[in-house]
Amino acid sequence: MSIRKKLSGLMKQLFCVILMLIILINTSACSFSMEPMNYPQAKSGNIDLTDWSWEQDGIIPLDGEWEFQWFGSAEPKTMDSNRSNYIQVPGTWDNKVLANGQMIRNQGLGVYSLNIVNQQEGKRLSLRLPNIATAYELYIDDRLEMKRGVVGYDASSSTPYQLPGFVDFEPRTATTSLKLVVSNFDHRKGGLRTAILLGESEQIHRTDRNEISMRFIIIGCLIMIGFYHVGFYLLRRRDMKNLLFSLLCFFVVLRMGVMGDSFLIQWFPSLSWSGAIRMEYILFVLSGWAGYGYFHKMFPREIKRQGFTLFSVSAILLVLSIVVLPPLTFSSLIIVYQIYVLLIGFTILIGLVLARIRRLEGATLEMIGVAGFLFAIVNDMMFYNGIWGIRDLVPYGLLFLILMNSFIIFRRFAHTYERAELLTEQFKDWNNTLEKKIEERTEELHASYRTLEDAKLELERMELSRRLLVSNISHDLRTPITLLQGYLEALRDDVITEEQQRAATIRLMLKKVEVLNVLIQDLFELSVLEARKVDLNIEVLMLGEWKERMIELYSMEMEEKHIQFRCELEEDKIDNVRVSIDIHRMDRVFSNLLYNAIRFTQVGGTIEITFAFDPSDRVVKILLKDSGIGIHPEDLPFIFDRFYRKSDSKVKSSAGSGLGLAIAKEIVELHGGTIQARNAIEGGCIFEIHLPRLDDKEAG
Ligand code: ADP
């Protein structure tokens, strides 16, 4: 299954989870705060439950007109004053004016009374008391049944404490009287913010359990997500956004711990009311700060760094104010903290809208998440200011934001996996071809190394031969020149007086000059040939014609030297095999070879030339064999080198320039052929020339 399909499956599941959550939020939010649509309201301090059936109608909020006596901070003479005043429950005191013209403030002491009339007797009922700011005592039929904090007439005599409570009781008569003494000198708002609920014990406790378990599901989720992001952060320290997000989760969880059901207050009874309210406010500010930090790291171009610095400094100041000021003061400043968080929320939202316009990845989902979260914040603010709303939506809002975030994370994971899969495929391919590539590259390297090595050897060889050439030339030129100089000086100084001797000396000198001339001509020819700057004058020649030409050129001379000369074709049929050669240069090759052969062959010896043709490799072979002294095996590898002469000094005297074979080799190679020398078993040496046969096509 492809990643894309898996992803869409995952998205659908997540969508279902969101739907379920929304339903859960609704049910849980409804459990205590959403009242039945039509239920009896208290009037003039009485609530009539004649038509109320616990089984069918369930829990009832004791809302409506409660009798109320206001004492402010004056100690009451008696609780049963007959001044009848009424107050709307739920509701905070908020400088309301009572019917008797008395104005109530948020700080002071008040007594609420309510008669529950016409109720069924003998049922086990429960009252669920919400957080009441900030201390109260509940009397049922004048018996003290529940107490939170210490009720007092001023700040010093009262002790604030908050925790929801339950009172189980069994009405003995049809009318039950409730009396609630409430004092507040520590919080900005006094009175009953939320409803007191009445129901069958079992109903009340079941509903409470449901609400608590729902809250702990949310808390569990937030803690999990928080640790999940801490884990991410520990693995990738550079990624501060994960740390900030986990902080946001933990701050919200802790804040839940000191609000509403206040699990932290239940777990740590030593945690004072003022400590808890400080925590609540500090965590409120810090949640805003962590949220901004997170979104700044996510979209740094849209949600700017300057904003983060500004909000961080403000957070420090606000936290300090909460630590330093008494709860009554800082809770009265709540609007400042709310503005701080709202500013953060809207800055983020604007940044996200910008990111959405710029089509940045994840911007849409984050935008939806933040809008939801912001809605929850505004809801809670309105609720706690007694304006409107459902109690404590922020945790759900955060959960919604987290879910949106999870979509983004899943999408990123999916993209990363896809890329990883692709890369793995590429790596596999690459790996498969890698060995072959390495082999090829190594072979290329070897080849270029060999070329370099050859070039180096060639350079060394050329350098050596250049040095040899220079020394050979100077030697070969100096010797005859020194001789000539000696003869000339002798002639000048009349050392040679005899006419005959003078003539002989001049002849000798002329011979030396001739040798010099030949040497210089050979040198010139060789240098031209080696530089490959010669244009061959190619002619097509049949082997038969070539053979005849050899006989014509050399047979007479051989006869004079008393050497038997043979020149023949290996088979008659090759008579018309054609070669393309520069005839005059080939003559030069053969004259070199033949005069060498004559030089090293005794009178009565033989010299023979054989022309052969091998049709398989289309090569013309010319063998030149003499019955002379042969070549010393030590000399064989070098005889084609320039100026190489036999090391034997006796022979050396009769030697030529030492350039003949070098010139012959150059000419043969210019024709695309090869020349080699070896000794014959029966004595003498053999020179073997191979020339490519002219193709019929080339012959045209
Ligand atoms: P040179 O001008 O000295 O003949 P070459 O290049 O023609 O120079 O020959 C080089 C050497 O090869 C000669 O000096 C000789 O020692 C040896 N050489 C060439 N041809 C023969 C041959 N037919 N028999 C024996 N030695 C030979």
Side-chain angles (χ1 to χ4, degrees):
M1 198 156 74
S2 84
I3 294 234
R4 221 166 267 286
K5 274 188 194 150
K6 278 187 216 161
L7 189 70
S8 76
L10 205 70
M11 289 283 195
K12 276 178 202 148
Q13 285 172 13
L14 272 168
F15 186 70
C16 293
V17 171
I18 289 188
L19 267 183
M20 266 172 56
L21 265 161
I22 290 169
I23 295 164
L24 279 176
I25 288 169
N26 277 331
T27 43
S28 80
C30 289
S31 57
F32 280 137
S33 47
M34 284 271 283
E35 296 81 19
M37 292 308 276
N38 288 310
Y39 59 95
Q41 298 267 326
K43 280 199 186 70
S44 311
N46 293 307
I47 185 161
D48 187 353
L49 296 184
T50 317
D51 299 326
W52 193 259
S53 151
W54 299 118
E55 288 79 15
Q56 284 169 23
D57 305 324
I59 295 167
I60 183 171
L62 299 177
D63 293 352
E65 244 176 30
W66 286 49
E67 199 182 321
F68 186 66
Q69 289 171 278
W70 176 248
F71 296 96
S73 50
E75 194 168 349
K77 305 284 173 292
T78 164
M79 289 282 188
D80 299 315
S81 154
N82 50 14
R83 285 178 290 170
S84 277
N85 283 302
Y86 300 102
I87 193 165
Q88 193 65 32
V89 171
T92 43
W93 294 339
D94 285 331
N95 305 340
K96 280 179 187 135
V97 180
L98 299 177
N100 63 356
Q102 213 181 358
M103 192 171 101
I104 56 172
R105 292 192 309 281
N106 272 313
Q107 286 77 39
L109 182 143
V111 180
Y112 292 81
S113 305
L114 180 77
N115 289 322
I116 305 164
V117 295
N118 295 332
Q119 63 189 4
Q120 294 167 32
E121 293 164 41
K123 280 261 175 199
R124 195 154 177 78
L125 301 179
S126 277
L127 279 172
R128 198 241 183 216
L129 293 135
N131 281 331
I132 299 173
T134 48
Y136 68 89
E137 285 170 2
L138 174 75
Y139 298 84
I140 300 177
D141 293 333
D142 295 325
R143 240 196 19 241
L144 177 66
E145 293 283 354
M146 167 63 92
K147 189 172 167 333
R148 286 278 184 251
V150 178
V151 176
Y153 308 99
D154 51 31
S156 57
S157 63
S158 61
T159 310
Y161 193 73
Q162 270 190 22
L163 198 64
F166 299 89
V167 178
D168 296 339
F169 68 101
E170 209 167 295
R172 269 164 272 131
T173 54
T175 302
T176 305
S177 81
L178 297 183
K179 187 169 286 169
L180 189 65
V181 186
V182 179
S183 74
N184 171 41
F185 295 94
D186 298 278
H187 196 264
R188 70 192 172 104
K189 295 235 180 220
L192 290 153
R193 265 184 221 224
T194 38
I196 295 174
L197 303 175
L198 178 66
E200 279 189 316
S201 280
E202 210 274 321
Q203 285 173 338
I204 289 278
H205 290 292
R206 193 181 54 229
T207 318
D208 184 56
R209 271 199 309 276
N210 287 349
E211 186 172 346
I212 288 180
S213 43
M214 181 52 61
R215 297 211 134 223
F216 272 92
I217 286 175
I218 304 287
I219 287 171
C221 288
L222 293 181
I223 289 177
M224 282 286 291
I225 301 281
F227 278 116
Y228 180 73
H229 282 83
V230 167
F232 260 154
Y233 167 69
L234 291 178
L235 291 175
R236 271 173 64 86
R237 294 284 169 97
R238 278 185 307 128
D239 223 345
M240 283 297 284
K241 69 168 175 292
N242 291 318
L243 180 67
L244 288 160
F245 198 76
S246 66
L247 283 178
L248 177 63
C249 294
F250 292 137
F251 290 157
V252 172
V253 167
L254 285 174
R255 188 160 174 267
M256 282 174 83
V258 288
M259 288 177 71
D261 302 310
S262 311
F263 66 88
L264 278 179
I265 296 173
Q266 296 197 35
W267 291 349
F268 306 103
S270 55
L271 184 63
S272 69
W273 176 85
S274 60
I277 196 174
R278 280 203 166 91
M279 266 180 79
E280 181 195 327
Y281 275 63
I282 290 174
L283 291 164
F284 181 60
V285 170
L286 291 182
S287 309
W289 168 81
Y292 190 93
Y294 168 72
F295 284 104
H296 158 61
K297 296 282 175 200
M298 283 286 280
F299 304 98
R301 274 181 55 223
E302 291 73 24
I303 297 161
K304 297 244 159 41
R305 163 163 220 99
Q306 293 91 311
F308 190 49
T309 319
L310 185 78
F311 286 125
S312 301
V313 173
S314 325
I316 293 170
L317 293 176
L318 294 179
V319 168
L320 274 178
S321 74
I322 297 165
V323 172
V324 172
L325 298 172
L328 183 59
T329 321
F330 73 71
S331 69
S332 308
L333 292 173
I334 190 161
I335 187 76
V336 179
Y337 309 112
Q338 287 175 340
I339 287 174
Y340 172 78
V341 170
L342 280 179
L343 259 178
I344 286 181
F346 282 105
T347 318
I348 293 172
L349 195 62
I350 292 167
L352 288 175
V353 172
L354 209 67
R356 168 78 188 77
I357 293 168
R358 290 178 182 167
R359 294 176 182 282
L360 296 185
E361 195 196 343
T364 315
L365 288 176
E366 293 281 23
M367 197 177 70
I368 297 170
V370 167
F373 190 40
L374 215 59
F375 168 77
I377 294 173
V378 174
N379 168 82
D380 281 16
M381 284 177 185
M382 306 242 275
F383 178 79
Y384 282 103
N385 282 311
I387 303 170
W388 168 85
I390 305 167
R391 183 155 57 97
D392 294 341
L393 267 195
V394 164
Y396 300 98
L398 181 62
L399 204 63
F400 181 64
L401 175 63
I402 286 170
L403 277 172
M404 292 296 134
N405 237 28
S406 307
F407 275 133
I408 298 166
I409 291 173
F410 287 142
R411 242 195 356 214
R412 284 194 183 155
F413 271 150
H415 282 162
T416 315
Y417 281 134
E418 255 178 8
R419 275 186 44 209
E421 270 182 2
L422 203 79
L423 281 177
T424 317
E425 281 304 310
Q426 284 174 352
F427 268 130
K428 263 193 213 155
D429 279 2
W430 204 63
N431 240 1
N432 290 341
T433 53
L434 189 64
E435 262 176 41
K436 220 177 133 230
K437 272 190 189 145
I438 289 178
E439 248 172 50
E440 281 170 16
R441 291 278 153 84
T442 319
E443 190 38 52
E444 279 170 22
L445 274 176
H446 275 309
S448 55
Y449 176 74
R450 280 196 299 269
T451 317
L452 274 176
E453 189 79 345
D454 288 352
K456 182 180 157 250
L457 286 176
E458 179 62 18
L459 272 176
E460 280 173 2
R461 205 181 61 77
M462 274 165 67
E463 174 57 19
L464 187 72
S465 90
R466 187 191 62 78
R467 270 193 264 133
L468 275 174
L469 179 66
V470 171
S471 79
N472 281 333
I473 292 172
S474 48
H475 174 265
D476 280 37
L477 288 178
R478 200 185 306 124
T479 319
I481 288 171
T482 317
L483 272 174
L484 280 174
Q485 194 180 0
Y487 289 140
L488 283 170
E489 280 170 1
L491 286 176
R492 182 195 65 198
D493 300 339
D494 293 330
V495 177
I496 306 166
T497 44
E498 239 178 80
E499 196 51 41
Q500 248 181 347
Q501 233 179 345
R502 279 176 83 95
T505 308
I506 288 169
R507 272 200 306 279
L508 204 64
M509 280 164 56
L510 277 172
K511 216 169 191 165
K512 290 289 166 197
V513 171
E514 201 181 320
V515 168
L516 272 176
N517 207 14
V518 168
L519 177 65
I520 287 164
Q521 263 177 21
D522 280 359
L523 262 176
F524 178 72
E525 171 132 31
L526 186 62
S527 74
V528 170
L529 286 169
E530 278 183 344
R532 298 274 195 263
K533 280 185 180 155
V534 275
D535 290 327
L536 291 179
N537 187 15
I538 296 288
E539 286 172 61
V540 175
L541 199 68
M542 284 199 282
L543 290 185
E545 291 170 351
W546 201 356
K547 181 197 83 176
E548 291 306 325
R549 185 178 174 89
M550 290 291 131
I551 295 170
E552 211 174 291
L553 282 173
Y554 299 105
S555 54
M556 282 258 285
E557 197 165 349
M558 296 286 182
E559 227 170 279
E560 278 170 21
K561 299 244 157 93
H562 304 290
I563 287 173
Q564 290 182 42
F565 179 61
R566 278 199 291 277
C567 183
E568 47 204 33
L569 304 173
E570 197 182 44
E571 293 167 292
D572 287 341
K573 63 176 182 187
I574 64 167
D575 178 71
N576 54 359
V577 169
R578 290 181 301 175
V579 283
S580 46
I581 49 170
D582 181 329
I583 293 172
H584 295 289
R585 289 198 191 270
M586 272 300 168
D587 281 346
R588 176 78 204 269
V589 173
F590 279 91
S591 75
N592 275 343
L593 294 176
L594 284 169
Y595 285 119
N596 276 345
I598 292 168
R599 229 161 72 214
F600 296 104
T601 304
Q602 301 90 329
V603 173
T606 48
I607 294 175
E608 49 187 76
I609 300 174
T610 315
F611 289 89
F613 173 63
D614 184 349
S616 63
D617 51 11
R618 312 186 63 76
V619 163
V620 172
K621 293 176 185 170
I622 307 156
L623 282 144
L624 198 146
K625 188 169 179 269
D626 65 46
S627 60
I629 57 168
I631 304 167
H632 197 280
E634 267 179 30
D635 297 325
L636 258 179
F638 310 107
I639 53 165
F640 291 102
D641 289 356
R642 292 172 306 200
F643 291 108
Y644 191 83
R645 270 163 284 186
K646 202 174 167 86
S647 38
D648 187 343
S649 56
K650 271 192 272 171
V651 186
K652 200 171 177 176
S653 58
S654 65
S657 66
L659 293 172
L661 285 181
I663 291 170
K665 185 171 179 254
E666 287 296 331
I667 293 172
V668 171
E669 283 178 359
L670 267 174
H671 281 81
T674 56
I675 179 165
Q676 281 173 331
R678 63 177 185 274
N679 284 317
I681 306 163
E682 62 274 12
C685 67
I686 303 168
F687 284 86
E688 186 168 338
I689 295 171
H690 286 191
L691 286 176
R693 184 212 153 160
L694 180 71
D695 260 335
D696 295 336
K697 262 191 256 160
E698 281 177 60

